[in-house]
Amino acid sequence: QLQLQESGPGLVKPSETLSLTCTVSGGSISDSNYYWGWIRQAPGKGLEWIGSIFYTGSTYYNPSLKSRVTISVDTSKEQFSLKLSSVTAADTAVYYCATILRFCSGGECEVGWFDPWGQGTLVTVSS
Amino acid sequence: DIVMTQSPDSLAVSLGERATINCKSSQSVLYSSNNKNYLAWYQQKLGQPPKLLIYWASTRESGVPDRFSGSGSGTDFTLSISSLQAEDVAVYYCQQYFGTPQSFGQGTKVEIK
């Protein structure tokens, strides 16, 4: 059963780069049935998809964050990572990593729902 | 971008009574080639990550109690809890995976009356 765990600094200074890592266990990050994604939730707010990656390194970003986001994968470590540059207080949130089902038909592949999720990690942007 | 709008923002229901949450998408999430609605529902309890309840608008995830059901098609969807239990107190989110970016509703908070 897949399990995901986020790790990284809980405090980042304004204008710096937020860096988080998600470690996958109970399965392989190279499983072609899945994408791997990041979602965030500002305090008391809703959920925002940040971006996703396939084990080959193909990435998909939310246009609203695309200029500041980089997601990468390290298959040897069963990890994928998030970097968000030039952060401000508005980037303070709980950051979740999650598995995204990938389903293919007729040579085309699509994304599905998020399951499972990591427990989340709170990142505060403050000087 | 597809905008998901839930109603109401919150509701209070007596134990054992039905709770109904609505979700409306700004464009259809029904894919005509496979006749599937690309819509999921999640439950988020305080201090926990979201938990998948339903996908394809009406397919219950394994282990989810059958008091939870999803319905609807196209742009209008409903999550129903047939007989509210104390452990169902949570915020519920709908999410579309039809288009990129995937997007969530703003959430509906369910409480006990």
Side-chain angles (χ1 to χ4, degrees), chain A residues 13-79:
Chain A
K13 290 182 168 52
S15 80
E16 295 191 344
T17 296
L18 178 161
S19 296
L20 295 174
T21 296
C22 183
T23 301
V24 177
S25 59
S28 172
I29 203 168
S30 301
D31 190 330
S32 62
N33 290 308
Y34 303 114
Y35 297 98
W36 309 95
W38 290 97
I39 305 100
R40 70 180 182 178
Q41 185 171 36
K45 301 296 185 182
L47 299 159
E48 180 181 32
W49 171 70
I50 300 169
S52 305
I53 192 165
F54 192 50
Y55 79 94
T56 57
S58 297
T59 52
Y60 312 86
Y61 299 137
N62 190 323
S64 68
L65 296 167
K66 186 174 183 178
S67 63
R68 299 194 291 131
V69 173
T70 302
I71 297 176
S72 59
V73 63
D74 186 335
T75 56
S76 67
K77 294 182 179 179
E78 299 289 344
Q79 293 177 334

Side-chain angles (χ1 to χ4, degrees), chain B residues 55-68:
Chain B
Y55 53 93
W56 296 134
S58 60
T59 302
R60 201 179 302 114
E61 171 71 337
S62 176
V64 173
D66 60 6
R67 63 180 180 273
F68 291 92

Side-chain angles (χ1 to χ4, degrees), chain A residues 41 96 110 113-115 118, chain B residues 38 42 44 49 55 61 93 102:
Chain A
Q41 185 171 36
Y96 295 100
E110 299 175 288
W113 46 91
F114 299 95
D115 180 61
Chain B
Y38 285 44
Y42 301 85
Q44 186 177 32
Y55 53 93
E61 171 71 337
Y93 293 93
Q102 295 110 302

Side-chain angles (χ1 to χ4, degrees), chain B residues 25-62:
Chain B
S25 57
S26 61
Q27 65 186 75
S28 176
V29 298
L30 173 64
Y31 192 28
S32 56
S33 68
N34 60 12
N35 201 36
K36 286 181 182 287
N37 287 284
Y38 285 44
L39 190 286
W41 288 97
Y42 301 85
Q43 174 193 65
Q44 186 177 32
K45 296 183 179 180
L46 193 63
Q48 296 184 18
K51 172 190 171 185
L52 177 69
L53 295 177
I54 285 169
Y55 53 93
W56 296 134
S58 60
T59 302
R60 201 179 302 114
E61 171 71 337
S62 176

